[in-house]
Amino acid sequence: MISIFNQSKQKTLSLIALSSLFLVACGSDNDLEVEPPTPPPPVAMAKFEVNVTNITNDQPYSPIAVISHDDSYSAFTIGESVTAGLELLAEGGDNSSFIQEASDHSGSNIQSSGSAPVGPGGSDTIEIEMPASEANLLSVISMLVNTNDAITGRVNINVSELASGESISLRGVAYDAGTERNTEAVGTIPGPADGGEGFNAARDDLADQVTMHPGVVSVDDGLTTSILTEAHRIDNTVILIRVTRTE
């Protein structure tokens, strides 16, 4: 009986030992290093240089506003009223509210501004970067500051098919923002020809819509109350824009 008991006891101890080894072996799996998940690939970026050249005789531009957006956003539409932000830009040359409006719009992803006005014959280059998947349209807007409310630039420039190193060149005309009468009177022009107040919250232009600008009618043309001269005339195209994709 004792030997049988001892044999049984030894078998039981052996089973316990094997079970312990099994548990230890199973537990060791928890100590294995788990490989971290593969990080997502980096977002492909698209970089652009927007070069603007002033091709007027004596119409400085206000600092250039550049907006990257999809087709749900529009800087302005001919025949429609401008926003309050664009009114401020068109009458006073201040693009900060216009850029903020774009920033608040779901269809706009990147906004940028030139740092200074651009004089006749001068140029400025604004760099803009965005995810390549969002590189769709660009709008470029500025004020002709020796006017009451003239703006220029181009809207909805399609850059989605530009490859790195490719460029597109465009010319732009002058538009009348339709928010201020084109009196050209002393005190109403913000540019160096007058140094007037520029922006006025009252919209006294009966049109109140964007149209092609009719041109400057200066004192040399018989408008005796005008502060402007023939040097400030707006002829045909007034701006040259070159967009280059650099990456």
Side-chain angles (χ1 to χ4, degrees):
M1 294 293 293
I2 295 176
S3 61
I4 294 174
F5 174 78
N6 288 337
Q7 290 177 2
S8 178
K9 183 178 179 180
Q10 288 175 354
K11 289 181 179 179
T12 301
L13 290 174
S14 298
L15 289 173
I16 292 173
L18 288 172
S19 297
S20 299
L21 289 173
F22 177 76
L23 289 173
V24 170
C26 290
S28 67
D29 289 343
N30 295 329
D31 297 329
L32 294 176
E33 292 186 4
V34 178
E35 291 187 6
T38 303
V43 176
M45 301 299 289
K47 295 182 180 180
F48 296 89
E49 288 184 352
V50 181
N51 179 266
V52 172
T53 301
N54 185 330
I55 56 175
T56 71
N57 181 59
D58 196 6
Q59 283 288 349
Y61 303 156
S62 64
I64 310 299
V66 179
I67 311 296
S68 167
H69 58 94
D70 62 26
D71 58 9
S72 69
Y73 169 85
S74 178
F76 67 83
T77 302
I78 293 178
E80 296 184 6
S81 297
V82 300
T83 63
L86 187 51
E87 177 184 11
L88 183 60
L89 186 159
E91 295 182 16
D94 181 356
N95 65 23
S96 57
S97 293
F98 173 69
I99 287 177
Q100 184 60 54
E101 287 177 344
S103 178
D104 293 339
H105 194 287
S106 61
S108 172
N109 48 61
I110 300 293
Q111 309 80 36
S112 189
S113 172
S115 59
V118 183
S123 63
D124 192 15
T125 298
I126 298 94
E127 295 182 350
I128 193 165
E129 180 180 9
M130 70 208 77
S133 60
E134 298 177 358
N136 298 314
L137 303 171
L138 293 179
S139 289
V140 181
I141 307 293
S142 180
M143 177 194 183
L144 302 173
V145 298
N146 283 331
T147 66
N148 286 103
D149 63 344
I151 55 177
T152 188
R154 292 291 293 255
V155 298
N156 304 332
I157 302 170
N158 189 344
V159 296
S160 63
E161 296 182 1
L162 280 182
S164 181
E166 290 186 338
S167 299
I168 182 171
S169 294
L170 304 160
R171 291 177 179 265
V173 300
Y175 301 94
D176 191 325
T179 61
E180 182 174 295
R181 289 188 301 134
N182 298 329
T183 64
E184 303 174 14
V186 173
T188 68
I189 304 291
D194 180 25
E197 70 167 355
F199 173 71
N200 190 308
R203 295 197 177 190
D204 61 0
D205 189 327
L206 296 179
D208 194 17
Q209 61 179 329
V210 179
T211 60
M212 300 297 293
H213 201 283
V216 169
V217 182
S218 70
V219 65
D220 296 322
D221 300 308
L223 184 58
T224 57
T225 57
S226 174
I227 192 67
L228 304 181
T229 70
E230 63 178 4
H232 305 114
R233 287 175 180 163
I234 300 170
D235 298 319
N236 299 317
T237 55
V238 295
I239 191 171
L240 177 62
I241 301 169
R242 183 177 178 86
V243 180
T244 303
R245 181 166 180 175
T246 58
E247 183 176 313

